[in-house]
Amino acid sequence: MFKKIERIRTLAQCSAQLQLKGDSIASNMIAHRLAETLMSLDIEEAVPLTRACGHYLNLSGIAELHHGVRRDRATREPAGHSSDSVFARLIAEGVPPDELYRAVSEQEVEIVLTAHPTQVNRRTLQYKHTRIAALLQQHDRSDLTTEERRGIVQELQREVAALWQTDELRRQKPTPLDEARGGLHIVEQSLWAAVPQYMRRLSAALKKHTGHDLPLQATPFRFGSWMGGDRDGNPNVTAKVTQHVTALARWMAADLYLREIDTLRFELSMSQCSAAVWKMARRIIAEGHTRKAGAVRAQAAAANRQGAADAASHGGSAAAAAYAAGEPPASFRLLAPKASRARKGASTDGGVGVLAGGEGAAFPGGMILGTQPVSAHTAAEVSVPHDLPGQVRRGGGSDLEFDDEEPTPAYPGALDGRPPAPAAASAGTPAGPLRPAGAGPLTLAAEPGTPNTLPLPSAMPTPFKPASETAPPAAEVAGAGVDGHSAEGSGEGGEGDRANASDPTLMRKSLMAQRTGTSPVMFARQHEHPGFHPYRIVLGHVRDRLAATRRRMEDLLSGREPVNGEEGAAWYESEDELAEPLMACYWSMWECGGGVIADGRLLDLIRRVYTFGMCLMKLDLRQESTRHREALDAVTRYLGIGAYDEWSEDEKIEWLTKELQGRRPLIPADMPMTEEVREVLDTFKVAAQLGRGSLGAYVISMTKGASDVMAVELLQREARMQVSADNSKPLDENSALRVVPLFETLEDLDAAEEIMTRLLTNPWYRAHLASAHGDHQECMLGYSDSGKDAGRLAANWALYKCQERLVAICKAHGARLTLFHGRGGTVGRGGGPTHLAIQSQPPGSVEGSFRITEQGEMVQAKFGISGVALTTLETYTTAVLLATLRPPSPPRREEWRSVMEMLSRSSCESYRAVVHNNPGFIQYFKQATPEEELGNLNIGSRPARRRADPTIATLRAIPWIFAWTQTRLILPSWLGIGNALMAAMEKGHLPTLQAMYREWPFFSSTVDLIEMILAKTDARIAALYDEVLVADPESKRLGQELRDRLQRCKNAVLKVTGHEVLLASNPTLRKLLGMRNPYVDPINILQVEILRRLREDPNNQRLRDALLISINGIAAGMRNTG
């Protein structure tokens, strides 16, 4: 097999090299010989050969990524896009340090991970690839012994062998829940480690150039998701699926935090703490004893009742039964139960749980993500003892109590056994009993080592309750320092407060100065608590609540009713609740001289809490505008007020505004409706139940008018009114999800200005935007459908102009704009190098906030390995910072805009003449590409088409690009551009085009991306698809015309750039393509033959498998699928 592969690779390499050197005759001869050899193979020989080439391409991709990380680590100077170098550049250009610090601290970048209808790799293979990358990183260590290095090589061999023997094909179509698991797996696999590492790097660079550390609550970037929320054209994403995905995300968040808390509890063994943390610890102990006493009494009463029943059933006397049913004597004492909380229907670790929600929802063996047990401790948890010294755990949790060996305090009024501090003590230390005057002490069950009475503060809230419920003084509860210094991050502020979080450097210096200014004896008297572990007590309570959160999510996932009220332990609903005790511990450690410890694992955990929250990635919901119109049409018809779908835009706006200004419910509870309408309304009800804690935005695809936005506002208000009534709570008008219009087609982009103007001038909408969203408007731009509609060049220019207009409109109305870029992996869908793409945005369109999608295989490529994820996060942060503080230049001359308009119009006409107006194009597309076969493969949960109509308009943009990428023609990324450039040159605009390329970032980035994609095309391979698969002579002529256009486009781009060959300015990529193509070419040839045989025998499962293997291989070589 190896010799055969090497022979085929050599032939492919020779053919490609001869083609590059201009010897097309010799190249074609070798190519035909190669094709004859491959096409004559039996399927049993072809499949292993295809697999081998595909695995080589995947492994070489891992090696390339690893080499890039290794090169960056070995470079002494910081990379050009690193935080250090970008900050230094900005300071050198005159940006004041304070402005730089504020811009970084307030920056909001959100990366939204989405599923992919053409995601080809199984998650099993992705995991093995990650394992191989980790072994390569270990192998680079310079301190390895010969034996250790040999062991790593052997482990690599085992992983590659396992990879070869693993079936890479999905045998079942993935469900939305499967896709969501894949997205969460990325967090666990790499982002969980990469985020705190990058935050440290960012903070260090800030400290170096501005003198200030990054605020503890700053979130320069966050993560969102569409997996389980994107229902646009995907009937598999239902309201129930959305509920399950959010519960799954919260389950995993609690599980990840539990691992970190267990390690921290073992690490933070100190007995010194601040007054605030000691207050928390005392409160937790008191509540623990109260709960324990209640459990003791309840169990004793139950035992006595059972005894009475037994006595009566065995003929005992009435007196004996009465005595058995009474209270036990004072000497009787029953220990707290050891068994964990028993719940009806609870799953066991070894059982099989079935999730409500139908097929694909089951998690075998109690596994939710397929990697971690639901109820068992993870490996990370097991490695740290839960029963820490001086503490015992209550059954079913980890509430910490003191064991029998702890000394009884000499002073019952203080847990530390010392007399109360005098009044002259520091203001940060409580100077006496905390219960109000006249209040009696809290009497607890007599436990060895525990005082009989505990002083409790009257105003002290239950630990870690939301501020809205208890509103405790921030300086008391949330880790305040002494002398009334309020700790940053009390957990009471929302996201807006975090953006304005203070510099932690000042607080640290203040606490250090305060400590050095206090005598050691006085300091020890105020902070030392011998025999106690206050941080472990506080973190033990945190662990209980995290465990309760995880159990609650298990209940929801398994279809059980979660335990609420007194029976169920408190669970975490928001990250602020979780962050509050962590921040208290952090500032307490700084106050007590343990800042170096606080800035370790604890700080990393705080960074994670504010970045990932309690759901790791907030879920966006997306639905097509027509579905909302259909729902409202059903409502208006049922109410007898007309047909909503037939009203004009003015009539719709008038009616929607009137309904939104009113307060009465609109939709009757007993209204009959279709399943489609019911699903829309159920989705809004689920959104109202989940709220902003789990959900991000509601995105409206195919937005055609302002009424589409107002319709969603009305429907979600109706749902919130219903949920509020069900919960007997008043409606919170400011709890609505932000509604995001998505402008996709060329027509939509042109209409965006009018739509947003109408919205921002609507009195109700403007007031709602201000009150509910802080005057923050978000708009999404679709790069995929606009490119499919008008071609890449025309779409790029329309997107550029649309952004300019949206920026101007929002500024005129005093609204802050965030643009959400729906980019894909390929240039045809707006993809390309991140830094280049962001730097080419219009001036003013990136004002410290930026949202963007990362899709399919690009998620794994950019975030699958921790080192690569670190670089990706840094690239996003610095690119957005540069676009904010040093925006790219607008067109320097008005002539450039005129030329761009001409190019856009010409390229759009040329593109549409082929794709939309040529009656033979669809037939050619179906014959020359594997588009039709893609719909029958188990690749993604979403159908390839929005509707059954077999037209280009109904075909999704992703499989549209995917099919052309497989044939190596990659038509949508360049069609129309060559004709437009040549037409402009014929009119004498070549010098202008060259000047635009040199001086205008937007135009240069567009041309560079097109040049990159042209270098990936191969007309020889595309011709082979036509020769074998296309039968109609007219279709063959169309194929030849397209290949001629491809060559003209290459020539035109080379003239504009001034390059002699494609990618002359990027020799590294040029070399990599030369290395990959000899392995991609044979897979393409085999795919052509497989398609030919499969079209003759459509039900041959072996051929279907072979086709999917070839798709995997080509996708690995091209590095993007759609």
Side-chain angles (χ1 to χ4, degrees):
M1 174 62 71
F2 178 75
K3 290 182 178 178
K4 184 175 290 186
I5 291 172
E6 282 301 293
R7 178 172 176 272
I8 289 170
R9 182 188 65 81
T10 302
L11 287 173
Q13 194 169 28
C14 289
S15 176
Q17 291 295 330
L18 289 170
Q19 183 72 20
L20 287 174
K21 292 179 180 178
D23 192 348
S24 58
I25 296 177
S27 174
N28 289 335
M29 287 178 60
I30 296 176
H32 278 293
R33 183 179 175 186
L34 177 64
E36 289 174 1
T37 302
L38 290 171
M39 289 181 172
S40 62
L41 294 176
D42 292 334
I43 192 67
E44 302 303 326
E45 289 183 287
V47 169
L49 183 63
T50 307
R51 292 187 66 222
C53 291
H55 281 308
Y56 169 84
L57 291 165
N58 278 311
L59 292 173
S60 65
I62 295 169
E64 289 172 20
L65 288 173
H66 172 70
H67 175 68
V69 173
R70 178 174 56 188
R71 182 188 57 212
D72 291 343
R73 290 171 61 89
T75 304
R76 294 181 181 271
E77 296 296 324
H81 298 157
S82 69
S83 304
D84 193 11
S85 61
V86 170
F87 293 175
R89 169 186 160 188
L90 289 170
I91 293 291
E93 291 177 357
V95 175
D98 288 346
E99 183 181 351
L100 173 62
Y101 180 78
R102 185 172 58 255
V104 174
S105 300
E106 297 178 359
Q107 183 169 285
E108 297 175 356
V109 176
E110 186 170 2
I111 300 166
V112 181
L113 309 184
T114 75
H116 206 305
T118 53
Q119 172 62 45
V120 290
N121 278 329
R122 288 178 59 199
R123 197 163 71 246
T124 298
L125 266 67
Q126 294 172 12
Y127 174 80
K128 292 184 180 297
H129 292 163
T130 303
R131 172 70 178 149
I132 290 170
L135 288 170
L136 287 176
Q137 187 174 358
Q138 292 179 31
H139 190 266
D140 280 348
R141 287 178 50 183
S142 59
D143 60 342
L144 292 175
T145 65
T146 303
E147 182 181 0
E148 289 171 336
R149 196 173 299 278
R150 182 169 58 250
I152 291 174
V153 172
Q154 290 172 348
E155 189 66 24
L156 276 168
Q157 291 172 338
R158 282 190 285 271
E159 288 293 338
V160 173
L163 196 63
W164 175 253
Q165 295 182 32
T166 298
D167 183 5
E168 61 262 62
L169 302 182
R170 289 193 182 101
R171 298 300 174 181
Q172 292 182 339
K173 208 171 184 66
T175 67
L177 205 59
D178 294 330
E179 293 171 337
R181 288 192 188 99
L184 295 173
H185 176 65
I186 290 290
V187 175
E188 182 184 28
Q189 170 184 308
S190 62
L191 291 177
W192 193 252
V195 163
Q197 187 178 355
Y198 176 56
M199 297 289 261
R200 287 181 177 279
R201 181 184 293 186
L202 188 64
S203 185
L206 266 183
K207 183 72 175 290
K208 176 181 177 181
H209 295 284
T210 69
H212 305 290
D213 285 301
L214 186 71
L216 270 63
Q217 294 170 295
T219 52
F221 49 81
R222 280 179 175 260
F223 299 93
S225 173
W226 276 14
M227 303 177 196
D230 184 8
R231 57 225 331 114
D232 176 17
N234 189 352
N236 300 310
V237 180
T238 63
K240 189 171 290 186
V241 166
T242 297
Q243 280 183 312
H244 285 173
V245 168
T246 54
L248 185 65
R250 282 182 172 267
W251 180 91
M252 186 171 184
D255 191 66
L256 289 171
Y257 288 133
L258 271 169
R259 304 181 208 179
E260 299 298 327
I261 289 293
D262 279 335
T263 307
L264 266 178
R265 288 174 62 219
F266 188 70
E267 181 179 297
L268 303 185
S269 56
M270 296 75 74
S271 58
Q272 286 188 348
C273 69
S274 68
V277 169
W278 185 235
K279 234 183 237 187
M280 282 184 172
R282 287 192 297 181
R283 181 74 180 188
I284 292 166
I285 296 167
E287 289 189 343
H289 280 292
T290 302
R291 287 195 299 269
K292 183 173 182 179
V296 168
R297 288 192 295 270
Q299 185 164 348
N304 293 333
R305 285 193 298 271
Q306 184 62 41
D310 291 344
S313 65
H314 287 83
S317 67
Y323 176 80
E327 289 294 323
S331 59
F332 180 79
R333 182 172 177 276
L334 187 64
L335 295 178
K338 298 291 184 183
S340 61
R341 177 174 68 120
R343 289 167 295 131
K344 183 178 180 181
S347 64
T348 59
D349 295 345
V352 177
V354 179
L355 305 182
E359 187 179 356
F363 49 97
M367 308 284 277
I368 286 186
L369 289 182
T371 57
Q372 298 294 341
V374 171
S375 299
H377 295 304
T378 63
E381 292 178 79
V382 173
S383 65
V384 178
H386 292 162
D387 296 325
L388 300 173
Q391 302 160 354
V392 295
R393 290 177 59 207
R394 292 193 305 111
S398 56
D399 277 356
L400 305 180
E401 302 167 9
F402 300 96
D403 64 21
D404 296 347
E405 298 178 3
E406 292 293 346
T408 302
Y411 288 84
L415 286 180
D416 56 6
R418 301 193 303 267
S426 169
T429 306
L434 297 173
R435 284 180 67 73
L442 175 66
T443 302
L444 302 176
E447 288 271 18
T450 306
N452 291 325
T453 58
L454 285 174
L456 296 177
S458 60
M460 189 70 182
T462 301
F464 327 138
K465 287 293 184 185
S468 59
E469 296 181 20
T470 57
E476 288 187 32
V477 182
V482 291
D483 292 341
H485 283 289
S486 174
E488 173 203 19
S490 65
E492 297 178 18
E495 294 182 13
D497 297 324
R498 291 182 206 149
N500 300 316
S502 60
D503 173 19
T505 309
L506 303 177
M507 183 69 169
R508 292 167 184 161
K509 289 180 179 178
S510 173
L511 292 173
M512 290 174 65
Q514 204 162 257
R515 182 171 181 270
T516 56
T518 307
S519 70
V521 174
M522 179 63 73
F523 186 86
R525 185 182 184 84
Q526 294 172 356
H527 297 83
E528 187 72 41
H529 306 283
F532 293 88
H533 307 284
Y535 297 112
R536 288 179 171 176
I537 295 171
V538 172
L539 294 178
H541 191 278
V542 171
R543 188 185 195 283
D544 282 341
R545 295 191 66 181
L546 287 170
T549 303
R550 189 170 66 173
R551 286 194 301 268
R552 182 181 179 85
M553 295 308 115
E554 290 172 21
D555 288 343
L556 292 172
L557 287 165
S558 299
R560 297 189 297 266
E561 186 67 27
V563 179
N564 295 309
E566 295 182 358
E567 297 180 20
W571 60 287
Y572 284 123
E573 295 189 62
S574 71
E575 61 264 33
D576 288 325
E577 295 178 66
L578 175 57
E580 181 182 326
L582 300 178
M583 294 290 284
C585 291
Y586 178 86
W587 289 117
S588 172
M589 293 173 72
W590 266 97
E591 182 177 331
C592 297
V596 66
I597 305 171
D599 282 341
R601 191 183 297 274
L602 179 56
L603 178 58
D604 287 347
L605 179 55
I606 290 170
R607 300 283 196 203
R608 288 186 177 111
V609 168
Y610 282 117
T611 299
F612 293 112
M614 288 308 300
C615 57
L616 299 182
M617 303 180 289
K618 286 191 176 181
L619 185 68
D620 281 359
L621 305 181
R622 183 170 79 134
Q623 183 58 279
E624 193 176 356
S625 59
T626 55
R627 296 293 301 275
H628 308 134
R629 291 197 291 269
E630 290 169 2
L632 285 178
D633 187 68
V635 171
T636 56
R637 287 177 186 271
Y638 177 76
L639 296 175
I641 57 178
Y644 176 86
D645 212 21
E646 297 175 3
W647 294 348
S648 67
E649 179 70 5
D650 290 340
E651 290 173 324
K652 290 176 182 176
I653 292 289
E654 181 182 357
W655 179 77
L656 290 166
T657 302
K658 179 182 176 182
E659 289 296 328
L660 285 164
Q661 289 173 339
R663 293 186 175 274
R664 64 175 177 80
L666 173 67
I667 304 174
D670 58 350
M671 186 185 101
M673 60 189 74
T674 64
E675 286 301 317
E676 290 77 10
V677 171
R678 185 175 302 280
E679 179 57 39
V680 169
L681 299 182
D682 285 348
T683 297
F684 280 104
K685 186 174 181 179
V686 166
Q689 293 167 343
L690 295 173
R692 295 183 182 181
S694 297
L695 303 179
Y698 194 105
V699 180
I700 312 169
S701 58
M702 296 296 173
T703 302
K704 303 296 181 183
S707 62
D708 290 333
V709 176
M710 300 283 282
V712 171
E713 293 285 7
L714 178 59
L715 288 170
Q716 74 162 327
R717 197 196 69 163
E718 283 293 308
R720 287 186 293 111
M721 290 175 66
Q722 181 181 349
V723 170
S724 297
D726 293 343
N727 297 332
S728 302
K729 292 182 179 179
L731 175 65
D732 182 1
E733 294 288 354
N734 297 329
S735 63
L737 300 181
R738 63 186 190 275
V739 179
V740 180
L742 168 54
F743 305 112
E744 298 177 85
T745 65
L746 208 61
E747 180 184 1
D748 296 342
L749 292 169
D750 291 339
E753 179 179 16
E754 179 185 348
I755 292 172
M756 292 311 304
T757 299
R758 187 153 197 176
L759 281 173
L760 293 175
T761 54
N762 181 281
W764 179 90
Y765 185 84
R766 191 65 190 85
H768 171 73
L769 191 69
S771 62
H773 305 294
D775 275 329
H776 179 205
Q777 175 65 54
E778 183 176 326
C779 296
M780 185 173 182
L781 304 174
Y783 288 69
S784 305
D785 282 287
S786 59
K788 181 166 70 78
D789 176 42
R792 189 69 269 149
L793 187 62
N796 275 15
W797 181 234
L799 286 160
Y800 188 92
K801 292 188 296 180
C802 180
Q803 291 179 70
E804 288 182 319
R805 292 192 292 264
L806 290 176
V807 168
I809 292 166
C810 288
K811 283 185 177 178
H813 291 87
R816 183 168 63 93
L817 175 67
T818 292
L819 290 170
F820 183 9
H821 300 266
R823 291 177 177 266
T826 61
V827 173
R829 299 189 56 241
T834 301
H835 199 274
L836 184 66
I838 296 175
Q839 285 296 291
S840 64
Q841 301 303 308
S845 63
V846 182
E847 292 286 352
S849 63
F850 190 80
R851 288 191 94 208
I852 190 169
T853 57
E854 288 288 3
Q855 303 189 359
E857 77 291 334
M858 299 309 297
V859 173
Q860 185 69 26
K862 292 184 177 182
F863 301 104
I865 300 173
S866 185
V868 178
L870 192 65
T871 302
T872 303
L873 294 175
E874 190 164 34
T875 300
Y876 269 116
T877 303
T878 56
V880 170
L881 181 67
L882 285 171
T884 301
L885 297 180
R886 289 291 181 267
S889 304
R892 191 161 56 84
R893 302 175 185 171
E894 192 59 33
E895 179 192 6
W896 292 0
R897 282 187 172 274
S898 301
V899 170
M900 210 44 239
E901 286 288 350
M902 178 182 65
L903 291 174
S904 173
R905 186 169 54 254
S906 176
S907 66
C908 181
E909 291 172 356
S910 178
Y911 175 91
R912 286 179 170 175
V914 173
V915 174
H916 297 290
N917 300 330
N918 188 327
F921 178 78
I922 293 179
Q923 180 182 349
Y924 170 74
F925 173 55
K926 288 179 175 296
Q927 292 179 358
T929 72
E931 182 270 333
E932 196 144 333
E933 287 79 8
L934 289 175
N936 299 321
L937 300 177
N938 296 318
I939 293 179
S941 72
R942 191 166 67 172
R945 292 183 179 273
R946 282 190 168 93
R947 294 178 295 276
D949 183 19
T951 63
I952 299 298
T954 60
L955 180 68
R956 289 192 174 276
I958 299 173
W960 161 249
I961 300 284
F962 183 85
W964 289 111
T965 303
Q966 289 284 303
T967 70
R968 309 272 289 279
L969 191 61
I970 323 182
L971 183 83
S973 298
W974 56 264
L975 183 61
I977 296 173
N979 284 15
L981 291 174
M982 295 299 291
M985 292 178 198
E986 291 172 0
K987 296 179 179 179
H989 291 298
L990 178 58
T992 303
L993 293 173
Q994 292 173 334
M996 291 164 63
Y997 177 74
R998 290 192 305 268
E999 302 176 33
W1000 189 10
F1002 163 75
F1003 188 73
S1004 62
S1005 66
T1006 301
V1007 173
D1008 284 343
L1009 291 174
I1010 293 166
E1011 181 183 22
M1012 180 188 70
I1013 212 67
L1014 289 173
K1016 288 188 173 186
T1017 61
D1018 193 320
R1020 298 173 306 123
I1021 296 296
L1024 181 64
Y1025 279 81
D1026 286 6
E1027 180 183 336
V1028 176
L1029 301 175
V1030 178
D1032 181 59
E1034 286 297 322
S1035 296
K1036 283 183 178 291
R1037 278 193 289 273
L1038 177 58
Q1040 183 60 54
E1041 178 190 340
L1042 294 176
R1043 292 191 294 277
D1044 292 341
R1045 286 176 177 244
L1046 172 63
Q1047 188 57 49
R1048 288 198 299 270
C1049 187
K1050 289 181 179 181
N1051 296 337
V1053 167
L1054 289 175
K1055 287 183 179 180
V1056 171
T1057 60
H1059 298 159
E1060 293 186 1
V1061 293
L1062 294 173
L1063 294 180
S1065 59
N1066 193 347
T1068 301
L1069 179 57
R1070 181 177 171 83
K1071 184 177 180 180
L1072 287 174
L1073 292 177
M1075 293 169 59
R1076 295 176 201 161
N1077 286 343
Y1079 289 91
V1080 182
D1081 292 352
I1083 304 178
N1084 275 117
I1085 295 171
L1086 287 169
Q1087 186 182 82
V1088 170
E1089 179 61 18
I1090 292 167
L1091 282 170
R1092 185 188 67 79
R1093 297 183 191 182
L1094 185 60
R1095 289 174 181 180
E1096 293 175 355
D1097 186 8
N1099 297 320
N1100 190 319
Q1101 188 58 47
R1102 185 62 174 155
L1103 288 172
R1104 286 174 178 265
D1105 290 349
L1107 177 61
L1108 187 51
I1109 291 170
S1110 71
I1111 288 171
N1112 286 347
I1114 296 170
M1118 299 298 287
R1119 295 298 159 86
N1120 39 50
T1121 57

